[in-house]
Amino acid sequence: LQADDMALPLTLAGIGGSGPLGPLRLSGRLNDAAGPLGVAELEATGGRRDNFLVSIKGAIRDLIALSGIEATVQVEALSLSHLDRLTGAGLPAWGPLHATAQVRDGRDGWSLDDIKATLGGSDLAGAAHLSPGERMHVRVHLTAGHLDLTEIGRTGPPAATGDRLIPDLAVPVAALRGFDAEAALRADSLRLPGLILGQVQATAKLDKGLLNLPTLRAGAGGGTIDGSLVLDARPGHAPQASVRLKAGGIETGALLREAGSALLSGGNATLSLALKGQGTSLRALAADAQGSVLLSLGPAQIYNDAFAWAGADLASQMLTALSCAVAHFRLKDGVAVTDRGVAVQAEGVDVVGSGTLDLRDETVDLGFVSRARGGLGLSLAGSLGGVTRLRGTVLHPTLAVDERGAARAALSVGAAAATGGLSLLGEAVMERITADANPCRTALAMGPAATGGGGLLEGLFGR
């Protein structure tokens, strides 16, 4: 059998396809020696090499019932997206693809064994099983030497998200409820945007809309990452998500070098994250987020440009010794609040911060106070005071000296000049946060956030 284009034969067979797909060639030997009419020496090719090409070699024991199939299937495509004309699955622009597998059918479904695939710069191997029925069940076990997810959609247009960082990506409720699945993945190396993970292990189970990923383990920067995820999309309520993540022993400088940045060297980092939320999209889940995020960084060497905004006079040093840095937030109803939970202790300067990050509209309002050690308790480099305010949105923040804070700092300077340093009115206010001898320890043990979410900012600067 041959056809100049395979679209019409596929349509007659009930398989999707639109527009020209490429020629079809099929041959085989029909016989009924085993009872039912079967096909031996089956060979088929369809498509074009400049788009996608599918090849099949094998046999069909019962052609009428379409059972007893054993075949080797090979697929080549310039991109996964080219296969959409066959599948209609909305596959990403990722390629080129070259894959082979042994396909068999049995009483409990279809098996794909000895899967071997290369996709862009990634490689995959493993097996899969598909059990059709009232509820389709899929089992997949894959291993990879290198898996590069940064290549997904690289050749396609970027998703439009407007002025928001978190995309308005809907939770695929229908897909999660439509079938059940079990999956396992092991990868020696996994590349994500700005991050390379090693020795990745992940398992997942999907049961009637409940997705559970109990195992998410990986190595990064000489340390370890361990996490879990639950997404409950079962009928009767809006989707609910819960994620936990712990990481430790990670050298931040090594991670930054892998991402192409030489900002920092050293810096042993730990991360603890526990969040949950409810909503029909990723943006809605973030807007309902409850939980906490704690990131701490140990001794490191950091370029002084990173501290210029804090009013610290570090311009004479090529590198600054960083003793510690902490970012500690508690979240309720989508608002992340920190009350002296942001702290940096570096050579010659301490920085303490408080404020809010509202995930409902992605607005940020964080205030930072810096103090040069050994001075008046105020950093006088650059501006008249060490009060800095970060406001705006996550994608479009603005950083400037807080006007009220600068005025109070100026008052402190004037009072000091008039009284010989015996009456520092403004300094008394500033010392509420800058007198802490160990701001990193205070940030790690941050107490409950102040009512209203303003915390320290409202206490010092009003609205």
Side-chain angles (χ1 to χ4, degrees):
L1 171 68
Q2 66 180 40
D4 291 336
D5 194 89
M6 59 190 294
L8 179 58
L10 288 177
T11 301
L12 294 175
I15 301 175
S18 61
L21 300 175
L24 172 68
R25 302 288 185 271
L26 185 148
S27 66
R29 185 180 297 277
L30 296 173
N31 70 81
D32 61 356
L37 182 64
V39 181
E41 303 174 26
L42 173 66
E43 293 190 17
T45 60
R48 300 188 305 269
R49 290 190 181 277
D50 62 350
N51 189 14
F52 69 86
L53 184 67
V54 180
S55 303
I56 301 174
K57 290 186 178 182
I60 304 176
R61 182 174 51 81
D62 189 337
L63 182 61
I64 305 302
L66 205 61
S67 64
I69 298 175
E70 293 191 12
T72 299
V73 178
Q74 180 173 305
V75 180
E76 299 178 42
L78 294 180
S79 170
L80 281 180
S81 60
H82 290 178
L83 298 177
D84 269 349
R85 302 176 71 181
L86 284 177
T87 66
L91 298 173
W94 189 7
L97 167 69
H98 181 89
T100 62
Q102 302 296 320
V103 180
R104 297 180 177 84
D105 74 326
R107 293 181 179 179
D108 60 345
W110 295 80
S111 295
L112 278 73
D113 298 315
D114 198 22
I115 297 173
K116 295 179 181 178
T118 58
L119 184 58
S122 304
D123 61 275
L124 290 166
H129 186 84
L130 173 64
S131 299
E134 184 178 349
R135 287 191 63 80
M136 183 182 300
H137 191 279
V138 180
R139 294 196 308 271
V140 180
H141 295 269
L142 296 174
T143 61
H146 178 65
L147 191 57
D148 189 350
L149 298 185
T150 64
E151 296 180 338
I152 297 179
R154 179 175 291 173
T155 59
T161 58
D163 291 332
R164 302 287 293 270
L165 176 65
I166 303 173
D168 195 20
L169 184 65
V171 177
V173 174
L176 292 171
R177 295 175 182 174
F179 69 100
D180 298 332
E182 297 175 47
L185 171 68
R186 289 178 177 267
D188 294 336
S189 173
L190 172 63
R191 179 181 288 273
L192 300 170
L195 180 64
I196 298 178
L197 302 178
Q199 303 304 312
V200 177
Q201 299 180 46
T203 61
K205 183 176 182 180
L206 176 61
D207 184 16
K208 299 180 179 65
L210 177 63
L211 176 63
N212 185 18
L213 282 75
T215 305
L216 291 170
R217 297 193 186 99
T224 59
I225 300 173
D226 197 341
S228 64
L229 169 69
V230 176
L231 177 56
D232 189 349
R234 290 176 293 186
H237 55 76
Q240 300 172 349
S242 174
V243 59
R244 292 184 177 275
L245 191 67
K246 284 188 176 295
I250 296 176
E251 185 188 342
T252 308
L255 290 184
L256 291 176
R257 286 193 298 273
E258 291 174 352
S261 172
L263 172 66
L264 182 148
S265 63
N268 188 288
T270 62
L271 171 67
S272 178
L273 180 151
L275 297 174
K276 63 180 181 179
Q278 178 172 293
T280 58
S281 69
L282 184 59
R283 190 174 290 175
L285 288 169
D288 186 62
Q290 325 282 331
S292 63
V293 178
L294 172 59
L295 173 65
S296 65
L297 191 67
Q301 293 290 323
I302 186 169
Y303 283 100
N304 58 24
D305 288 347
F307 286 107
W309 57 267
D313 186 10
L314 306 174
S316 61
Q317 305 174 51
M318 284 299 295
L319 286 173
T320 296
L322 179 71
S323 299
C324 62
V326 176
H328 194 176
F329 289 84
R330 301 185 192 276
L331 291 91
K332 183 177 181 181
D333 300 330
V335 181
V337 179
T338 182
D339 188 351
R340 286 168 291 181
V342 177
V344 175
Q345 289 181 255
E347 184 177 351
V349 64
D350 290 346
V351 179
V352 179
S354 295
T356 62
L357 171 59
D358 193 335
L359 298 180
R360 297 171 299 184
D361 56 8
E362 296 187 14
T363 55
V364 60
D365 186 4
L366 293 171
F368 301 92
V369 176
S370 63
R371 179 182 68 170
R373 295 200 192 109
L376 291 174
L378 298 173
S379 173
L380 304 180
S383 63
L384 286 177
V387 182
T388 310
R389 200 79 174 263
L390 181 68
R391 309 182 85 168
T393 66
V394 174
L395 286 182
H396 304 288
T398 59
L399 189 65
V401 172
D402 184 274
E403 294 179 359
R404 293 179 119 184
R408 297 189 183 196
L411 178 61
S412 172
V413 175
T419 63
L422 300 179
S423 176
L424 299 179
L425 180 61
E427 183 180 352
V429 177
M430 302 293 289
E431 282 297 323
R432 291 179 56 188
I433 48 177
T434 59
D436 192 343
N438 197 332
C440 284
R441 182 183 300 169
T442 300
L444 286 171
M446 181 182 68
T451 303
L456 187 62
L457 290 183
E458 292 183 5
L460 284 182
F461 311 130
R463 300 303 298 175

